[in-house]
Amino acid sequence: MAAKSVAREAEEILLATEMIQLGARLQVLQAETSLSYDRLARLYREVRGCSPPKGMLPFSVDWFMTWLPNIHSSVFYSVYQYMDAHTPAKKAKALVEAYKLYLEQSSTGRSPDSTEEPVLSFTRAWMLVRCFDSNMVQLSHCTRCKGGFVAHAHDPQNDFVCAICRPPPRAGKTRSKAAAAHPVEVLRTARKAASKISPVSG
């Protein structure tokens, strides 16, 4: 029993370390592991070299519905769904692996030394999964490109057209072309990458 407890704790420390490296806030770590606040705070300082930020987590379902965040959130969640359903990675581990793939795909075309922040932070990605689990949002499928996009729960799906097939007038004026890559193409590439991931122990 003691050995199992030590092994489980080691797994949680590794998971928390990965999430911290990806930008997770302390509240996310508390929700996804059974490690104490003090241990997580110490781990955060060790990994990031600074104290964890304070304050409430960003929470707004409407944020996921705006043009660019909606595209990035939709790509991330589709990859997460695929990972959770078709690979050994489940729940928190699927979240981590899907976010890594999201970062890889969303940075395509950028210079290696780019300091541009990802549109979807890890904490918002975690919040999005919780919104789906709470039935606050749904995936609606575009009648033009057939891609699945984040939408408010219970919104009518007939004649739904996504934000990239029918963008707002000034969409993408201040972003690079890479940020506005079509999500269906990005999703296909991400799914191919996910399917090549070697099975890992759960």
Side-chain angles (χ1 to χ4, degrees):
M1 180 66 92
K4 272 190 178 179
S5 177
V6 170
R8 176 63 181 162
E9 184 178 56
E11 286 178 5
E12 292 199 329
I13 290 171
L14 287 174
L15 176 63
T17 300
E18 279 192 289
M19 290 195 289
I20 292 169
Q21 289 169 339
L22 292 171
R25 296 272 295 274
L26 208 57
Q27 296 97 315
V28 176
L29 306 176
Q30 285 182 285
E32 295 300 335
T33 72
S34 61
L35 301 173
S36 69
Y37 176 90
D38 288 341
R39 294 200 69 184
L40 288 170
R42 282 204 310 273
L43 182 62
Y44 190 98
R45 283 191 289 271
E46 185 178 320
V47 174
R48 303 285 287 190
C50 61
S51 296
K54 296 180 180 179
M56 295 179 66
L57 296 182
F59 180 78
S60 171
V61 173
D62 290 338
W63 183 87
F64 298 112
M65 307 304 160
T66 55
W67 182 69
L68 198 57
N70 184 261
I71 295 168
H72 283 249
S73 299
S74 301
V75 169
F76 162 76
Y77 189 75
S78 291
V79 175
Y80 167 79
Q81 227 181 10
Y82 182 90
M83 297 288 293
D84 191 52
H86 300 290
T87 76
K90 304 296 178 188
K91 301 301 178 186
K93 190 62 180 173
L95 172 67
V96 167
E97 297 301 331
Y99 191 73
K100 287 178 181 177
L101 274 173
Y102 158 72
L103 289 180
E104 180 185 309
Q105 299 302 317
S106 64
S107 64
T108 301
R110 290 186 199 162
S111 62
D113 56 350
S114 173
T115 57
E116 189 177 350
E117 291 291 317
V119 173
L120 184 71
S121 69
F122 183 84
T123 296
R124 284 197 187 273
W126 174 79
M127 189 68 73
L128 178 64
V129 172
R130 289 175 74 90
C131 286
F132 271 99
D133 290 344
S134 302
N135 295 317
M136 298 173 69
V137 293
Q138 67 184 20
L139 276 185
S140 294
H141 288 83
C142 177
T143 56
R144 296 185 187 175
C145 68
K146 311 304 180 186
F149 289 81
V150 178
H152 288 291
H154 313 301
D155 274 359
Q157 300 209 36
N158 293 340
D159 302 321
F160 171 77
V161 179
C162 72
I164 201 164
C165 287
R166 188 164 57 196
R170 292 189 57 78
K173 297 293 183 185
T174 59
R175 290 278 183 170
S176 66
K177 284 185 179 180
H182 200 291
V184 174
E185 293 306 316
V186 173
L187 180 54
R188 284 199 191 107
T189 307
R191 279 182 172 165
K192 281 182 185 175
S195 67
K196 292 176 183 175
I197 292 175
S198 300
V200 294
S201 55

